[in-house]
Amino acid sequence: MTLASSELRQFSLITLGAVAVFAIFRLLPTGTNLSHMDFRVDPRATNAIEFCDPLNPQFIPVVASRSPVTLTVATTEPAVAGREVRAVFTLKTGSGKAVAPEDLLVTHTRQLHLLVIDPSLTDYQHVHPTPGSTTGNWHVTFTPRTAGTYRIFADFTPVATGRGLYASVDLVVSAGAAPGPGTMDAKPLRGSVEREGVTFTLETTPAAARAGQPIDLRFALQRRDGAPVPLEPVMGAFAHLVAFDQTRSGFAHLHPAEADLLKRPDAVKPVLNFKLTIPRAGRYVIWAQVNLGGSERFVPFEIEVGG
């Protein structure tokens, strides 16, 4: 056998081995029983939710759009303001298939994010349910602070698509004997808000925000005594902003441009930058979520978007 033929035979064996390994990996289970087609709506349908690009943050009109996933909720007892609610959420595809933990990717440290907001936009909570014993069931507890019909948005990313999807469901909360804790200091303000010795500031550029045009958001924190702000990561970022419109037709979940957790913001006055495009004019409330020394804080801001 000549040297050339020996090298050719060796090359052929290596190639066949690589093809065999590739074929074996293709046959291995991915963990999910759902495919890309399970997360598509009828292409003829109007107002369908599209797979969303996290690098191009937009306001997602969840309620008016048709999602390929349905979200339902059940509670062990009627929901009452000021009392802990034990709820079970169920995610299913349009064909009725349950969406289980193996069907979802971990995004921002969790598989399923629930954004809970009351009618007045003064009670926002971000909670993470855990899988139940029944496939497709997700359990969570939270305490609504006011009475009314709460709207709950689900934010998740299927393994089969790798892109974010959304769904929503409403939960009626009855009035309690007294307002829930934190209700009185949750009124959204413009510009700056002080909470427990820390000033939170949200500025927009341009100052007069307009519908359909990109908005730069500058979020800053500073302690009244001038000491360093104990800003720590929360869900894989130094802060999260979530914007709601007056009718709660949808939301925008924003993450800062300062994504590298190894590059910490200034200790005395940390500043984080966000981008957002809002499609329609009106009043919006933007909730900031941060972790200060191990304690999560939620701070609301109000902005007016012109036409």
Side-chain angles (χ1 to χ4, degrees), residues 105-267:
L105 293 173
V106 173
T107 58
H108 293 284
T109 72
R110 302 285 183 161
Q111 289 180 302
L112 179 58
H113 300 262
L114 296 182
L115 286 61
V116 183
I117 186 70
D118 80 315
S120 66
L121 307 184
T122 60
D123 181 18
Y124 164 65
Q125 301 181 46
H126 188 136
V127 296
H128 302 111
T130 56
S133 56
T134 302
T135 301
N137 283 2
W138 299 78
H139 295 250
V140 74
T141 61
F142 67 97
T143 302
R145 299 190 178 105
T146 64
T149 301
Y150 274 66
R151 184 153 292 161
I152 302 164
F153 296 99
D155 183 347
F156 54 95
T157 301
V159 171
T161 65
R163 305 195 70 177
L165 273 181
Y166 311 93
S168 68
V169 68
D170 289 349
L171 175 66
V172 176
V173 177
S174 301
T183 302
M184 302 307 293
D185 63 355
K187 181 180 178 181
L189 300 174
R190 299 191 183 190
S192 295
V193 180
E194 184 173 331
R195 296 284 186 270
E196 300 177 15
V198 179
T199 299
F200 303 85
T201 303
L202 185 67
E203 299 174 342
T204 64
T205 302
R210 302 194 68 83
Q213 298 181 6
I215 304 170
D216 290 320
L217 300 169
R218 181 180 182 274
F219 178 59
L221 304 86
Q222 190 170 17
R223 286 178 52 136
R224 185 195 304 160
D225 58 9
V229 177
L231 185 64
E232 299 294 337
V234 54
M235 294 183 297
F238 283 116
H240 295 254
L241 299 184
V242 177
F244 298 99
D245 65 332
Q246 190 67 44
T247 63
R248 300 176 300 164
S249 66
F251 70 94
H253 188 175
L254 312 177
H255 306 112
E258 296 77 10
D260 188 350
L261 298 181
L262 297 179
K263 298 180 180 178
R264 301 183 62 84
D266 181 77

